[in-house]
Amino acid sequence: MSAARLAAPDVSIAPYAAFAPAECEALVASALPPGIRLTLADGTPSMPAGIEGFGRCLMHAMQAMLADGHESACVLSSDSPTLPTELLVMAARHLAEPGDRAVLGACADGGYYLLGLKAAHAAPFSDIAWSTDTVATETRARISGLGLDLIELPSWYDIDDAASLRTLLNERHGYPASHTRSAIDRLGVQRGLQEPVPIAVLKNPA
């Protein structure tokens, strides 16, 4: 979220925080810095056939931001805290160009960290096997089916497991993510990753 605010002087970016359920709005707002808008993304509005699960939340967020009068919108993963600010700038600049198009930032694990659209197309959220390594591939296919130009951003990583967390701890080239690193220090996560994991070997008595 802070990376989006940092990119704002270079391009026109209005940072939003998508949240759910509706009753947690005040709690989310209390944790955000000034200037961040909130948008409900619980997937409750009526959706075209094929949009299920997490896709409903993404589509809801996209619809809400475009309904606020923006000419384009991006959904951005919260699992990539060190995402370089220049990638957000690149996405905004591509979306500001004339003509309908999509911008995709794929993750190394097969998902994506960013999807940008200029209209609330349902296809990129339809019939997607969410939380699998085929999400980015399936999203590309849906965009191709619409006949849209697709701009691909450089790949980045998200934090899903111990290996990707180690990448975060050792990585110094992206956004500093000082709040994330502070939380890691407070929780002792780095120490926990370095400690050996005990394994009990059970012998069959038979």
Side-chain angles (χ1 to χ4, degrees):
M1 194 60 62
S2 296
R5 297 176 70 207
L6 186 62
D10 296 321
V11 288
S12 180
I13 291 179
Y16 283 75
F19 71 95
E23 55 267 25
C24 75
E25 179 174 1
L27 178 62
V28 174
S30 68
L32 295 175
I36 306 295
R37 308 184 206 184
L38 285 172
T39 186
L40 180 64
D42 61 1
T44 54
S46 178
M47 298 278 173
I51 303 182
E52 302 294 342
F54 188 51
R56 298 183 66 89
C57 299
L58 294 174
M59 183 66 177
H60 189 179
M62 186 69 69
Q63 289 173 330
M65 289 185 288
L66 292 171
D68 275 353
H70 302 290
E71 295 183 357
S72 61
C74 295
V75 286
L76 181 67
S77 171
S78 61
D79 293 343
S80 300
T82 63
L83 184 70
T85 304
E86 55 264 30
L87 296 183
L88 301 180
V89 173
M90 289 172 62
R93 286 178 174 163
H94 285 305
L95 290 169
E97 295 175 0
D100 201 4
R101 63 176 48 80
V103 176
L104 181 71
C107 289
D109 64 359
Y112 61 77
Y113 62 82
L114 181 147
L115 175 63
L117 298 171
K118 302 189 74 170
H121 298 291
F125 308 106
S126 300
D127 299 315
I128 304 292
W130 300 107
S131 301
T132 70
D133 60 3
T134 63
V135 170
T137 298
E138 292 171 355
T139 302
R140 291 186 186 99
R142 304 297 178 272
I143 292 170
S144 176
L146 290 171
L148 293 181
D149 289 337
L150 175 60
I151 309 299
E152 296 252 10
L153 301 178
S155 177
W156 198 247
Y157 69 97
D158 57 3
I159 312 301
D160 289 325
D161 52 25
S164 53
L165 181 56
R166 289 189 179 92
T167 299
L168 169 70
L169 294 173
N170 295 322
E171 183 260 308
R172 293 294 182 270
H173 302 294
Y175 179 74
S178 58
H179 294 296
T180 298
R181 297 188 187 281
S182 177
I184 287 172
D185 290 341
R186 290 197 309 271
L187 295 171
V189 172
Q190 186 161 4
R191 183 178 64 254
L193 287 174
Q194 294 170 344
E195 293 175 353
V197 178
I199 299 176
V201 178
L202 302 180
K203 181 179 176 63
N204 190 332

